[in-house]
Amino acid sequence: MSIRTRLTIWYSVILVLGFVLFGAGVYVSVSVTMVGQVDASLEQSASSIADQIKIIMNGDGRVISLPQFDVFRASTVYVEAIDTKGKIRGRSTNVGTFENQLDPATITELSQKPATEQKPIYNNVQHTGAPPLRVYTYPLVVQDTGELFGYLQVAASVEDIELTKHGLLLTLLVVGALGLVVSAVAGAAMARRALRPVTEITNTALEIYRTEDLNRRVEVETNDEVGRLASAFNEMLDRLTRLFRAQQRFVADVSHEMRTPLTVIRGNVDLLRMGCADEESLDAITSESERMTRMVSNLLLLSQADAGALPMRMEPLDLAPLINNVVRSGNIMADGRVEVTANVADDLEVLGDSDRLKQVLLNLVDNAIKHTPEGGKVTVEASSNGGTAVHLVVKDTGIGIPPQDLAHVFERFYRVDKSRSRAQGGAGLGLAIAKSFVEAHGGRIEVQSTVGAGTSFIVTLPAYRPNLV
C-alpha cells in the first residue's frame, strides 16, 4: 500500500471519528434539551394540579376533592389521579376511553415503598396503538401527617421528539457519508500534492542511476518538511558530485604520478637487458622505486585518516623541544640556501602524537623551503590564546600562492606550480597529509598568502589542560 493511500485512509478515518464525536454530541444535546423541556412542562403541570387537590373530612371519613384537570392541561398533556389501591379516581378528557393507568409499572414500584421514600419518577411508556409517552408520576402526600393518599400521573406525547431525533440522525448520517466521500477525494488530492516532491526525488534518483548524470536536481517549491527533504537531497547530490569528481581526479592523478616512475623504471630495465645500462640507470631505478614507495605510504596514511583508523599515541607534549627538532631538520634540508628559525612561547602543551605532529611541521617547513628563493627565511612560531588553544605558524618569504589556488592547496595531488613541484620530487600529498593529521588531533589548519610576499600556514590545536582531562 502506497504512502498516499495510507495518508488518505488515515485522513478519512480521523475526519469520520471527529464527525462521529461531533454528531453524537449534537444528537445527545438535542435529545437531552427536548426531553428536559417536556419534563419541565410535566413537572409544572403536576405541581399546579397537586396544589388544587383538597382533602375534605365528613362523617364517613376523608374525601379527596380533585380539580378539573382540563383547566391545567395543554392539549397534549394527559392527567390521571390514582388512589393507593391503583384505582383511577379522575382523568383529563383527552385520555378518552383508555382504561389503564398511564404508567402502571411505576405505580406498582412506588406502592411497594413506604410513604417516606416516595419520590417523583419520570418514565417513557409505550402503549399498544398509542404514541410514545413521557410520564411523570407524582406521589400525593398529606403535608401534616405525611400520609400517602394517591398518585398523580401527568404525561405528554414524545412522538414529535422521536421524529425529530430520527430526522436529525438521518441528516447526520447522510451528511457524514457525503463528508466521508469529500474527505477521501480531498485527502487523496492533498496527499498527492504533498508527496509530489517525494515522487520527484524518486524519479530523479532513478534517472541519475540510469543515466549516471549527477547534474540533475529536484526543484524545491515549498519550505515545509518535504521541501526541506528535497533541499537535503540536492545538497547530498552536490556532495556526491564533488566526491565523485574528486575520486575521478584522484584516480587520474595517481595514474599520472605512477606512470612517470614506471616509465623510467621500464626504460632502464630495457637498458639492463640490452647490456647498455650503467650506474646512473641503477640509481634512477632506485630513486623512482623509492618515490613510488613514499607515494604509496602517503596514500595509505591518508586512507587510514579518512577511515578514522590512523594509529595515534596521544600524550601530553611540550611543543618547544618538538619545534626545535623540526627547525634543526629544516636547516639541514635547506642546506644553507634558506634560513629556518623558531619563535616559541613558554609552557605550550598539547595532547597529541609527537611523531604525527612532527610530520605535520616537517611537511609545512619542507614545503616552505621549496617555495622560498635563496636567501629567504622560514619561521616557525608557537603561541597561546589564553590557555584554550595553541597556534603554530609556519611562514616564509617565498613566492606566495595565487588567490585562485588558495582553496585547493590541501587537495591531494594539487600543485600550484606543477612542473616545478614534480621536478623537486613532490607528489602534492604533503599538505593533504598535514591537514588529515591536524584534524585527527581535533584542530584545524588554514593558509594565508600574498603573491611575492610569502605564505603562512596556521595550525590551531586544543591546549592541554590537565584538570579537564
Side-chain angles (χ1 to χ4, degrees):
M1 184 182 294
S2 65
I3 294 178
R4 185 175 66 185
T5 303
R6 290 201 296 267
L7 286 176
T8 302
I9 293 174
W10 277 109
Y11 177 79
S12 301
V13 168
I14 292 173
L15 186 62
V16 167
L17 290 177
F19 186 80
V20 167
L21 292 177
F22 171 78
V26 171
Y27 184 82
V28 172
S29 177
V30 170
S31 299
V32 171
T33 300
M34 296 178 71
V35 172
Q37 291 175 350
V38 172
D39 290 349
S41 176
L42 295 177
E43 183 178 356
Q44 182 179 5
S45 297
S47 178
S48 298
I49 294 173
D51 290 342
Q52 298 297 321
I53 294 177
K54 298 179 181 179
I55 300 177
I56 303 172
M57 301 298 296
N58 56 23
D60 297 330
R62 293 179 301 177
V63 177
I64 300 176
S65 174
L66 299 176
Q68 294 294 323
F69 292 148
D70 290 342
V71 175
F72 303 94
R73 69 168 181 84
S75 60
T76 57
V77 175
Y78 311 98
V79 183
E80 283 187 349
I82 304 167
D83 61 20
T84 55
K85 296 180 180 181
K87 185 177 180 180
I88 299 174
R89 292 295 185 177
R91 57 172 44 167
S92 59
T93 57
N94 59 2
V95 176
T97 59
F98 184 71
E99 297 180 354
N100 296 327
Q101 301 168 0
L102 293 175
D103 185 8
T106 301
I107 296 296
T108 302
E109 178 184 349
L110 290 176
S111 64
Q112 298 175 357
K113 297 180 180 180
T116 55
E117 297 181 9
Q118 301 284 334
K119 294 181 180 180
I121 295 178
Y122 289 99
N123 192 23
N124 291 328
V125 179
Q126 177 68 63
H127 294 284
T128 303
L133 298 176
R134 179 74 169 172
V135 182
Y136 178 67
T137 303
Y138 182 81
L140 299 174
V141 180
V142 179
Q143 296 295 330
D144 297 336
T145 62
E147 180 183 357
L148 177 69
F149 61 89
Y151 302 95
L152 184 65
Q153 288 192 331
V154 183
S157 173
V158 291
E159 184 175 16
D160 291 341
I161 295 179
E162 295 298 324
L163 292 175
T164 301
K165 290 167 60 177
H166 291 158
L168 176 61
L169 181 60
L170 180 61
T171 301
L172 291 174
L173 291 176
V174 172
V175 173
L178 292 176
L180 177 60
V181 174
V182 172
S183 66
V185 174
M190 292 173 60
R192 181 170 57 254
R193 180 178 178 82
L195 294 176
R196 185 170 60 187
V198 178
T199 303
E200 293 180 0
I201 292 174
T202 302
N203 294 335
T204 301
L206 290 175
E207 290 178 3
I208 291 173
Y209 170 75
R210 293 165 182 165
T211 63
E212 298 184 358
D213 181 12
L214 292 177
N215 293 319
R216 294 187 60 86
R217 295 295 182 270
V218 178
E219 294 184 4
V220 180
E221 299 179 355
T222 60
N223 193 33
D224 55 11
E225 290 80 358
V226 179
R228 289 194 290 273
L229 173 62
S231 299
F233 182 76
N234 288 337
E235 292 177 7
M236 181 189 69
L237 286 178
D238 291 338
R239 180 170 177 81
L240 287 176
T241 301
R242 291 194 298 269
L243 291 175
F244 181 70
R245 291 173 179 170
Q247 183 187 38
Q248 288 180 322
R249 186 171 61 249
F250 176 76
V251 172
D253 289 339
V254 170
S255 301
H256 181 75
E257 293 294 334
M258 299 293 284
R259 181 169 53 191
T260 300
L262 287 174
T263 302
V264 173
I265 292 173
R266 181 174 180 178
N268 285 282
V269 169
D270 290 340
L271 291 175
L272 286 174
R273 287 178 175 174
M274 292 185 296
C276 301
D278 53 12
E279 190 68 27
E280 185 178 350
S281 298
L282 294 176
D283 290 341
I285 293 174
T286 301
S287 175
E288 295 300 330
S289 299
E290 291 176 350
R291 179 182 171 188
M292 285 195 299
T293 300
R294 289 194 301 271
M295 187 186 305
V296 171
S297 298
N298 289 336
L299 289 173
L300 178 61
L301 284 175
L302 288 172
S303 176
Q304 290 175 330
D306 290 342
L310 186 68
M312 303 277 286
R313 188 176 68 252
M314 307 296 284
E315 57 185 3
L317 293 177
D318 184 0
L319 290 178
L322 178 65
I323 294 175
N324 291 331
N325 193 333
V326 170
V327 169
R328 284 194 297 270
S329 299
N331 281 310
I332 294 174
M333 292 186 293
D335 195 20
R337 189 178 63 85
V338 174
E339 181 185 4
V340 182
T341 60
N343 183 11
V344 184
D346 297 330
D347 299 327
L348 294 180
E349 283 190 319
V350 297
L351 187 66
D353 187 313
S354 60
D355 292 337
R356 303 302 183 196
L357 290 180
K358 181 178 180 180
Q359 188 172 353
V360 169
L361 293 176
L362 281 175
N363 282 346
L364 296 177
V365 170
D366 180 55
N367 187 71
I369 292 172
K370 289 177 180 178
H371 296 86
T372 300
E374 186 173 353
K377 187 175 182 180
V378 175
T379 305
V380 181
E381 298 179 349
S383 61
S384 174
N385 68 342
T388 60
V390 173
H391 300 291
L392 304 176
V393 182
V394 177
K395 59 182 181 179
D396 59 55
T397 58
I399 59 176
I401 302 173
Q404 66 270 19
D405 293 315
L406 281 176
H408 305 286
V409 296
F410 295 108
E411 295 178 5
R412 301 168 190 185
F413 297 108
Y414 188 84
R415 298 184 182 88
V416 176
D417 185 355
K418 299 175 175 56
S419 60
R420 183 182 179 192
S421 297
R422 186 172 290 109
Q424 293 173 342
L429 294 175
L431 292 179
I433 291 174
K435 183 175 185 292
S436 296
F437 286 179
V438 170
E439 291 177 349
H441 282 79
R444 67 179 186 276
I445 184 170
E446 302 169 302
V447 60
Q448 298 174 354
S449 183
T450 303
V451 176
T455 302
S456 297
F457 285 91
I458 303 100
V459 175
T460 304
L461 296 171
Y464 174 66
R465 292 186 287 177
N467 57 322
L468 298 179
V469 178

